[in-house]
Amino acid sequence: MNSEMRTPHRPRIQVLFDPAPPSRAPRAPFADVLADPATPPGLRAAVEELCRLIGLDRIKEALYGVYAYFTVGQRRQEAGLKAQRQTLHMVFRGNPGTGKTTVARLVGRLLHEMGVLAKGHLVEAERADLVGEYIGHTAQRTREHIKKALGGVLFIDEAYSLARGGEKDFGKEAIDTLVKAMEDHRDAFVLILAGYPREMDAFLRVNPGLPSRFPIQLTFPDYTVAELLAIADQMAGDRDYVLTPAARHKLKRMIVKAMDHPTGSFSNARFVRNVLERAFRRQALRLLQRREATRDELMTLLPEDLEVAAEHDIW
Ligand SMILES: Nc1ncnc2c1ncn2[C@@H]1O[C@H](COP(=O)(O)OP(=O)(O)OP(=O)(O)O)[C@@H](O)[C@H]1O
């Protein structure tokens, strides 16, 4: 009896399972790119900036997936295998200040460094930039923005406002022009539609032809209090400021209060940025009164710097 015949019969179910997963722990997205000394400096800088963003783990993972697809795609091409064309238009859903514009800018840079986009710049537009006042005007304005964005990213904030007036509105002309450009200039630019989650979902529902044109749909969650404090520390540190523990505690209370504000229009990291920018100005006014200040004092933000003069300044 040969060895093959002695092999016990394996139940069929076993072959349906994937082989055991590799035992190594999952690595952070882009860890290999950063660890590789051969990574080109431009790509490294863009990846470092992305990885430096606080939180946004799912977003980083998704972009790492795009990176993997293109990198392996290049290797496949080198091996004489068929090149796949990947549509890269994206939808970003998220509340104000959750990092959509920041990530869109980095997407442009990353895709440029990966050789996918010729320039990688970001062109921002909203309804008022695209929609004109007479027939043909909207198409012309929209085409101008597309032309500016060729080689980079066209980022349309509150994209659903293009559908605001229904069939008769010129916004429809902008949507049609964008859809046509996505066909005509398939690989020449990336279109990112951004906006609040609920409105964006409703917009995609009433335009059934749209979702399939946007294979990459990312959701930007609201930041937690801890993430917003980490963002504050990073923003202050980048500008050579530090918050004292008491100032940080005060900022925390301000964040919690603003989050619970009845208008429900908390602007996440933008709120933190506005509070800090006001604090930098108030610290300057405080120190101006004194003849001398030490280096430490010049860097330090105190709780009193975080006072807000009027509520409407911060939300
Ligand atoms: N994860 C993060 N880490 C550090 N800074 C962040 C992060 N997310 C956002 N920021 C900062 O917060 C500010 C607002 O972010 P951004 O403009 O990207 O938000 P947005 O979602 O586009 O907002 P809006 O929808 O209101 O235009 C920027 O200064 C940005 O650098």
Side-chain angles (χ1 to χ4, degrees):
M1 190 191 278
N2 67 30
S3 62
E4 214 177 334
M5 290 175 74
R6 277 198 308 271
T7 309
H9 173 71
R10 287 173 189 275
R12 190 175 147 66
I13 189 92
Q14 277 198 342
V15 296
L16 295 176
F17 287 116
D18 283 333
S23 57
R24 64 189 162 85
R27 298 180 69 179
F30 292 106
D32 53 343
V33 181
L34 294 174
D36 185 351
T39 298
L43 178 62
R44 176 181 298 281
V47 167
E48 275 171 357
E49 208 165 305
L50 176 71
C51 292
R52 210 171 163 255
L53 291 173
I54 307 294
L56 299 178
D57 293 349
R58 301 294 296 272
I59 307 287
K60 292 171 189 170
E61 275 163 28
L63 295 180
Y64 185 54
V66 172
Y67 168 80
Y69 187 82
F70 275 96
T71 308
V72 174
Q74 268 163 12
R75 284 191 219 154
R76 281 172 52 91
Q77 244 176 308
E78 283 158 21
L81 298 168
K82 287 200 182 92
Q84 303 256 25
R85 288 173 78 184
Q86 161 89 345
T87 311
L88 281 171
H89 303 301
M90 308 185 186
V91 168
F92 285 5
R93 293 185 184 81
N95 285 327
T98 47
K100 300 182 293 298
T101 317
T102 306
V103 169
R105 188 164 283 115
L106 282 168
V107 163
R109 272 181 65 191
L110 275 174
L111 292 177
H112 170 62
E113 297 300 338
M114 283 154 54
V116 179
L117 288 175
K119 297 195 225 161
H121 61 302
L122 183 85
V123 174
E124 284 184 72
E126 53 184 33
R127 182 187 160 95
D129 301 310
L130 303 180
V131 174
E133 277 133 38
Y134 48 86
I135 292 176
H137 192 201
T138 300
Q140 180 201 327
R141 292 179 79 160
T142 307
R143 277 198 298 266
E144 277 165 20
H145 278 82
I146 293 163
K147 201 170 154 204
K148 265 196 255 168
L150 289 180
V153 173
L154 178 57
F155 179 84
I156 304 189
D157 205 8
E158 301 200 29
Y160 34 78
S161 64
L162 293 174
R164 207 164 51 194
E167 282 293 315
K168 290 202 196 94
D169 183 78
F170 289 145
K172 169 98 176 35
E173 201 177 312
I175 297 173
D176 294 344
T177 310
L178 288 167
V179 167
K180 182 163 185 311
M182 287 160 78
E183 298 293 335
D184 295 350
H185 307 285
R186 242 187 99 121
D187 301 323
F189 79 115
V190 168
L191 178 60
I192 300 183
L193 303 184
Y196 305 156
R198 206 172 318 140
E199 286 85 341
M200 187 60 88
D201 288 343
F203 172 63
L204 294 174
R205 254 197 317 274
V206 297
N207 292 277
L210 281 185
S212 62
R213 297 178 189 275
F214 295 89
I216 302 173
Q217 304 212 4
L218 305 180
T219 299
F220 289 66
D222 285 336
Y223 291 116
T224 62
V225 176
E227 283 171 337
L228 290 166
L229 287 171
I231 288 173
D233 287 335
Q234 193 180 76
M235 281 180 180
D238 286 349
R239 293 162 183 79
D240 283 340
Y241 287 97
V242 283
L243 292 143
T244 62
R248 212 167 172 277
H249 186 67
K250 173 154 189 176
L251 176 61
K252 184 175 173 183
R253 278 189 287 127
M254 289 168 71
I255 289 171
V256 171
K257 188 169 166 221
M259 274 178 165
D260 290 343
H261 198 262
T263 59
S265 58
F266 178 61
S267 58
N268 285 279
R270 186 184 307 288
F271 171 87
V272 169
R273 194 180 73 188
N274 290 346
V275 169
L276 282 184
E277 280 173 359
R278 168 167 274 280
F280 301 152
R281 293 196 293 273
R282 289 181 63 96
Q283 186 245 30
L285 279 172
R286 173 168 61 77
L287 293 180
L288 193 66
Q289 311 306 320
R290 300 177 25 184
R291 287 225 157 263
E292 277 174 29
T294 65
R295 185 183 153 83
D296 268 3
E297 284 167 336
L298 289 167
M299 290 178 71
T300 303
L301 297 174
L302 300 176
E304 66 207 71
D305 300 325
L306 294 166
E307 294 290 355
V308 278
E311 286 205 340
H312 65 261
D313 281 336
I314 57 159
W315 54 64

